[in-house]
Amino acid sequence: MYNVKDLEAVKKNWRSFWNHEFIGRPYVLVTAPKNGVTVEKKDETYVKKLNDARRGDFTSAVNDFVEKAKATMHYGESLPHYKADLCPDQYAAFYGAEVEGREGEYTTWIKEPVAEELCDLDLKFDRNNAFFQMVEKSVRTAAEIADGNFIVHVPDYHSNLDTLSALLSPQNLCYELMDNPELLEEKLAIINNDFDKIYKIFYEAGNMKQTGTLSWLNAYCEEKMSVIQCDFSCMMSPEQGKQFVIPSIEKELETIDRAIYHYDGKMALCHFDNIMALDRLNCIQWTPGAGQKRTIYWMDLLKKIQAGGKSVWLRDWTAEEILADKELDPALTAFVLHLNSEDEAEDFMEKLEKKYR
Amino acid sequence: MMSILAEISENLQKGKAKIVKELVQKALDEGFAPEQILNEGLLHGMGIVGEKFKNNEVYVPEVLVAARAMSMGAQILKPVLAEAGVKATGKVCIGTVQGDLHDIGKNLVKMMLEGKGLEVVDLGTDVPAETFVQTAIEQNCQVICCSALLTTTMNVMADVVKAAEAAGIRDKVKIMVGGAPVNQEFCDLIGADCYTVDAASAADAAVAFCKA
C-alpha cells in the first residue's frame, strides 16, 4: 500500500474504531505531501472523469491518482484511496436519469428529472444500464490498477429518497409525499431492495472482499461498510422521517456490517432521536451545512452523539484544535486532516500521542 | 357553521387544492367580493401556514401543498380581481443566481410572496445578474429576490447589487438574498438590503418593502 508504514497496525486500529475502543488517542487520518516530490496538479473533477469515461478512457484519471498517491504520506489510520464515482447522484442514473457535466465545473449533475409524477416512474434496475456499466467499469479498472497499492471507494450512492428526489425533483417528491404516500412507499421499497444487489456488484468489481471497504469519507473497514445518508430528510417532518427515512436506512443496514451516517444540515436535526436509535449505525458525520459554523462549534451535539454510543467523524478541525480538544471522547472520535509536510505530520502525531500518554 | 371563507382557509392549510378551487368558485357565486375571498380565505390560510413553518410546526411538503392550493384558488380569482381593479400589493422578481440550478428554496419563497398578495416574476434558475436588474427595470419591480444553495454561486448576488448600482436603480429597488449558505454577515458584506432565515420571513420583509 502506497506510503503506509504498517498496514496491519492500521487495520487493527480500524477494528478498534468500529468496536468503539480506545487506542491511546483519537482516531486520525492524516495525509501530507512526501518530501522532495512535486506532483503537477491534475484535473480530479467528476466532469473530467465522466468525459473520460464517455470516451471509453477509464485509466487516465486513475493513473493521475497513482502519481499523486505515490507522493502522499499516510499517518494514523489513513490509507490511500481512489474515488471511481462519475456523479454524486449516480444511483438515480442507474434508473435512467441522464447525467451532465459542464466544462469548468467540479460536479456532475442529473440533467433533469425523468418524470413529474411518481406513477410515471418505471423503476427497474438493469445491470445493462449504460451509466451503471460505466461506473462498474470505472470501479473495476481502478481496482485492477490498484493491485493492492490503494483501495477503491465503495461508491457514493445517494440512494433511498435522495434517488427519488433526483428522479422527480425535490419539489415533486414533496408533493408525492403528501398526495401519494402509499405509492411512495412502494416505489421506495423497489429502490431500497435494489441496494443490496447494487452494493454487492461494486463490492465484487472493486475487489473489496480482498481489500476491505473504504468510503468517500476515507473510513476503512475489513468488512462491508458504507456511508449512508438521506439529504432529502431535511425537508421532512419527524413523522414523515419515521415513515420513510428510517425504514430505508434500516433496509440498507441489512446489507452492510458497518455504517457511517452522513448527517447533512440543520433542518434535518428534527430526526436526530430516530437516527440515534438505529443501533447498527456506528458513527455520525455531522455536516452543519453551507453557511453554518464549523463542527467545532457544535460541541453539544457532538457530545450528545457520543453519549448515545456513536462515534463522530470530523473533517474540518485544524491540527491545533485537535491537539487542544479536551471535550470529546477519543475512543469515539475520528479526525481527517491534511498537513503541509512530513515534518508537520510527524510532529502532529508525536504531540497527539504524547497528549494521551 | 363554518363560513365559506374559513373553509377556504382551512382547506388551503391542509393542501386540498381541488376543494379550495371549488370553494373559491362557490364563494364568488354566492356574491362574496373577490378581494374578501383573497384576503380572508386564501391569504389568511397561507399566512397561518407561513407562521407554522417559521415555528417548525409544519415542514416543506405541507407548505408546498398549501401553496399549490392557494395557486389553484388564485387562478379562479385572478380575472375577477383584475376586472374589479384590485391590484397586487407590490411586484417582485425572483430567481436562483447564475451557476446554480437549485430551485426549491426559491419556489418556496415565491409561493410565500404570492401568499402575501404580491405579484411575482419568476426568472427560474441559473439567472445572470443583469437579468435580475433588467427585469426589475422593465417590469417595475420594487424588490429583487436572489436565491443560492451553493457557496460557489452566492457571490453572484454581489454582482446583482453592483449591476443595480450600474443601472442607476439601486435607490429604487430593494435586493433580498437567501439560501442555505447565505447569512446576515454576507448580506451586509455585499450591500444587499435584506436577508431572512426562512421563506415566510422573506415574504413579510418583501411586503414591508413594497408598502414603504
Side-chain angles (χ1 to χ4, degrees), chain A residues 18 41 47 83 125 148 215 248 256 266 313 322 342 355:
Chain A
W18 295 110
K41 196 169 163 43
V47 176
K83 181 151 91 177
F125 169 64
S215 71
S248 297
I256 51 185
K266 206 175 156 184
W313 193 269
I322 296 169
E342 286 186 48
K355 180 186 165 187

Side-chain angles (χ1 to χ4, degrees), chain B residues 87-110:
Chain B
K87 286 191 177 153
T89 320
K91 199 168 184 180
V92 177
C93 64
I94 188 169
T96 307
V97 297
Q98 191 163 35
D100 203 324
L101 303 173
H102 297 89
D103 66 355
I104 196 162
K106 183 265 296 174
N107 291 346
L108 262 179
V109 175
K110 178 193 167 190

Side-chain angles (χ1 to χ4, degrees), chain A residues 100 102 105 109-111 169-171 174-175 177-179 232 234-240 267 270 289-292, chain B residues 14-15 53 59-62 64-65 67-68 99-104 107-108 111 126 149-151 180-183:
Chain A
E100 73 169 349
R102 292 182 180 184
E105 289 188 4
W109 304 93
I110 296 300
K111 194 174 178 185
S169 87
Q171 192 165 326
C174 284
Y175 289 141
L177 195 62
M178 301 299 292
D179 297 341
F232 184 78
C234 71
M235 310 264 183
M236 302 164 78
S237 68
E239 292 71 31
Q240 289 162 342
M267 283 172 74
C270 63
Q292 296 293 325
Chain B
K14 290 177 188 159
F53 183 56
Y59 293 80
V60 175
E62 285 89 344
L64 285 171
V65 291
R68 183 179 60 182
D100 203 324
L101 303 173
H102 297 89
D103 66 355
I104 196 162
N107 291 346
L108 262 179
M111 290 166 184
D126 199 13
L149 187 78
L150 306 172
T151 47
V182 181
N183 55 26

